[in-house]
């Protein structure tokens, strides 16, 4: 246990000298008189309103046909609880804590920004109406305290959209040295790196003059799954690595964008985390070192956790500024209750079409990998009077059916979408891009069915179409085009990698493996040039998890072709991600690296972990592939033919969840051969044991 007085003294003295960065979240705006609801409360309320008076949706989301506004969406959260329990039961308490599954114990919702992204997908700018009530509030003590900290030359990074820190600055006549809220404005800070600045990393609803800046919020929501943009990433690392950092009112749940960057930080200054525990009357402080089971947040940095009521810590720190006027008397103000905010959100949700509300819920389930639930919803939605929306709905239907193993139905929906988009693709840039994305999705289904020639043709068509665009492109649109080209090259390279790895490697035809791996390598080299083009215009190329997976694909290929060391840290992964399909892909791919490094036991546990998740979300493709990988592991590395035979049989049985296609037919033949071969190997192994005895 650390000395809390020394911690407070260190923070206070640093604060006076402008050497502190505050990183604050929604927790600071929850106090009286601001009363802004916490993110989970907003998320669950929006989910409740989306399902309001729709018994089928209520049953899927809440497992209850008559939920209240205070109910937790058990239809969504239960999957996390089931996975958590199964991981603990099968892999043990140590593994369970090491990879952060214990954090799911108190999980009550999905991340607010993820839900808002789905609302944005369907209703576009109308999503801002959910956030606008937050700007009607008044600052609380935290906001005045932070305004004073700015005046002393300290920096503030916040994920909050509201303008309460800005309002406190205005009331106190504090003018921040800089105010940054978008990728462009963050780039300005990199030129002069001033202190005493306010950084709105997820955008802002207003600037210091109360002008509307909702565009920066929309930009964040539209690209949230792509990770933190390059300028924002550089600014965040620059501040974290040079100053003392205090996390306050922040939950560390920004797993798509901020969490990966925190894991990169290598600074030497102290990090403090104010861990809010309202039941504690005193503050307690302890050091959490790198590698500790409770250090989910940083790969290379320790931090000091200060447990207790955060307001006590705030009041102790403020004394070092010799200033008390921030204790403003709010008794004469009319504060807005938390329920008032939530009631104002109703007006937006109730104004949406019934189809829009159901469509948003379906996207939530698809994102989590719960595609059977998504299909139940999507089958009952239609936009008869809006052909463009109908085409986007067809694409979502296709994605859900494809994930369920129904690629024939998926391809039919994609064909319908293409027919609609074909009529308007020459007139509209958005339609043209959507048309190309639909072709990529058709390629995805062809690849899943092992129709590799057809898949490659679709990817080549996309690349050709994107190379001959006639629309005028600004920086943002140019980035979108390059990203889609990147995706097409990625998938085309994966076709060759799949042929080499999943077909000829299993048949021990090394010369053909080398041929297809070299083919994949050439495609990935072209991909790299596009990635460099994106970097030159300051745009991050992929989702953080996709980027990591691609890096591992390259290493796997080069390790096989040139016997290069993989030099990838096997435990480097993002355990916060809620996209369960993405988590499975990351674990499966990491297992290949672990096997290449000779870490057989670790590869086994990660495959089992992935298999547990796949079993809970009922992902047929993953169940087939993961059981197959475990069978190969036990046969090739463990020489445990009984276990390998068991997993080959499991993989064979899982094929029943997929419709008949080239993939299932080839896999059935291959697995029958593997099962019989392992029966022979097991008998021979037992015979050798008997002979020895």
């Amino acid at each position: 246990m650390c000395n809390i007085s020394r911690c407070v003294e260190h923070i206070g003295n640093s604060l006076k000298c402008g050497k502190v960065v505050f990183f604050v979240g929604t927790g600071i705006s929850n106090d009286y008189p601001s009363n802004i609801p916490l993110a989970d409360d907003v998320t669950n309320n929006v989910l409740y309103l989306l399902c309001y008076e729709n018994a089928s949706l209520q049953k899927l989301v809440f497992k209850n046909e008559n939920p209240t506004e205070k109910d937790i969406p058990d239809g969504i959260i239960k999957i996390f609880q089931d996975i958590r329990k199964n991981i603990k039961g099968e892999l043990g308490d140590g593994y369970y804590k090491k990879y952060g599954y214990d954090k799911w114990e108190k999980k009550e919702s999905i991340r607010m920004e993820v839900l808002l992204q789905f609302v944005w997908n369907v209703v576009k700018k109308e999503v801002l109406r959910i956030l606008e009530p937050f700007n009607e509030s008044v600052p609380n003590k935290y906001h005045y305290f932070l305004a004073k900290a700015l005046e002393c030359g300290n920096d503030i990074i916040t994920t909050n959209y509201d303008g309460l820190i800005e309002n406190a600055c205005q009331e106190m006549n504090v003018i921040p040295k800089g105010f940054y809220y978008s990728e462009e404005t963050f780039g300005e800070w990199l030129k002069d790196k001033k202190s005493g600045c306010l950084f709105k990393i997820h955008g802002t609803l207003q600037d210091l003059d109360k002008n509307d800046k909702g565009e920066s919020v929309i930009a964040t929501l539209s690209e949230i799954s792509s990770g933190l943009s390059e300028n924002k990433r550089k600014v965040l690392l620059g501040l974290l690595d040079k100053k003392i950092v205090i996390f306050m009112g922040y939950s560390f749940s920004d797993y798509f964008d901020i969490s990966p960057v925190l894991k990169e930080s290598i600074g030497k200054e102290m990090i403090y985390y104010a861990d809010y525990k309202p039941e504690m009357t005193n503050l307690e402080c302890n050091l959490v070192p790198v590698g500790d089971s409770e250090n989910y947040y940083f790969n290379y940095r320790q931090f000091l956790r200060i447990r207790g009521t955060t307001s006590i810590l705030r009041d102790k720190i403020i004394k070092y500024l010799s200033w008390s006027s921030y204790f403003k008397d709010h008794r004469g103000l009319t504060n807005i209750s938390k329920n008032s905010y939530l009631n104002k959100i109703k007006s937006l949700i109730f104004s949406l079409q019934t189809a829009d509300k159901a469509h948003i819920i379906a996207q939530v389930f698809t994102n989590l990998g719960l595609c059977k639930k998504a299909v139940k919803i999507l089958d009952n939605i239609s936009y008869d009077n809006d052909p463009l929306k109908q085409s986007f709905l067809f694409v979502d239907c296709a994605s859900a059916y494809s994930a369920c193993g129904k690629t024939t139905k998926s391809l039919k929906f994609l064909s319908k979408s293409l027919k609609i988009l074909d009529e308007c693709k020459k007139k509209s840039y958005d339609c043209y891009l959507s048309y190309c994305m639909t072709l990529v999705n058709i390629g995805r289904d062809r690849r899943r069915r092992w129709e590799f020639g057809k898949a490659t043709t679709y990817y080549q068509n996309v690349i050709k179409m994107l190379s001959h665009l006639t629309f005028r492109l600004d920086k943002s649109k140019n980035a979108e085009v390059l990203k889609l080209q990147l995706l097409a090259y990625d998938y085309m390279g994966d076709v060759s990698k799949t042929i080499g790895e999943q077909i000829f490697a299993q048949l021990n035809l090394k010369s053909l493996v080398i041929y297809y791996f070299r083919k994949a390598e050439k495609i990935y080299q072209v991909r790299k040039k596009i990635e460099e083009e994106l970097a030159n215009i300051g745009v991050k190329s992929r989702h953080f998890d996709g980027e990591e997976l691609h890096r591992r694909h390259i290493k796997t290929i080069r390790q096989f072709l040139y016997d290069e060391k993989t030099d990838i840290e096997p435990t480097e992964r993002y355990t916060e991600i809620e996209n369960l399909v993405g988590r499975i892909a990351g674990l499966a791919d990491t297992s290949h690296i672990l096997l290449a490094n000779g870490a057989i036991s670790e590869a086994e546990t990660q495959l089992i972990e992935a298999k547990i998740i796949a079993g809970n979300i009922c992902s047929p493709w993953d169940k087939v592939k993961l059981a197959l990988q475990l069978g190969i592991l036990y046969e090739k590395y463990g020489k445990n033919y009984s276990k390998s035979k068991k997993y080959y049989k499991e993989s064979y049985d899982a094929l029943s969840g997929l419709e008949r296609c080239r993939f299932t037919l080839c896999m059935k033949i291959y697995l029958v051969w593997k099962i019989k071969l392992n029966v022979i190997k097991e008998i021979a192994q037992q015979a050798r044991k008997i002979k020895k005895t």
Side-chain angles (χ1 to χ4, degrees), residues 93 473 559:
D93 195 57
L473 303 179
Q559 196 269 344

Side-chain angles (χ1 to χ4, degrees), residues 81 124 143 182 187 210 214 217 246 285 301 334 371 409 423 442 667:
Q81 301 304 342
K124 302 305 177 189
H143 304 113
S182 65
K210 298 195 175 182
V217 176
I246 302 173
C285 183
R301 298 186 69 172
T334 303
C371 294
K409 201 154 189 177
E423 296 174 7
I442 293 173
M667 284 299 294

Side-chain angles (χ1 to χ4, degrees), residues 388-445:
L388 205 55
K389 260 192 172 181
Q390 187 67 39
S391 73
F392 298 146
L393 176 64
F394 285 148
V395 172
D396 283 347
C397 289
S399 295
Y401 271 107
S402 181
C404 290
K406 311 295 181 187
T407 49
T408 301
K409 201 154 189 177
S410 172
L411 288 166
K412 285 179 181 177
F413 277 116
L414 291 171
S415 295
K416 289 179 181 179
S417 180
L418 277 184
K419 190 175 180 181
I420 296 170
L421 292 169
D422 189 47
E423 296 174 7
C424 57
K425 72 175 188 289
K426 291 181 181 178
K427 300 175 186 176
S428 162
Y429 161 81
D430 289 334
C431 290
Y432 194 93
L433 213 64
S434 297
Y435 186 92
C436 291
M437 189 65 225
T438 305
L439 291 177
V440 169
N441 287 331
I442 293 173
R444 169 204 66 198
D445 285 342

Side-chain angles (χ1 to χ4, degrees), residues 1 32 42 69 81 107 118 124 128 176 180 189 253 256 340 347 352 391 456 498 509 541 550 562 584 600 606 658 677:
M1 194 72 68
Y32 172 87
V42 174
E69 293 183 30
Q81 301 304 342
K107 189 173 182 62
F118 301 139
K124 302 305 177 189
L128 290 177
Y180 309 102
W189 181 85
S253 61
F256 270 127
S340 297
S347 62
L352 297 179
S391 73
T456 301
T498 299
L509 299 172
S541 60
H550 172 72
Y562 313 115
I584 291 168
I600 312 303
Q606 293 212 4
L658 301 171
L677 184 64

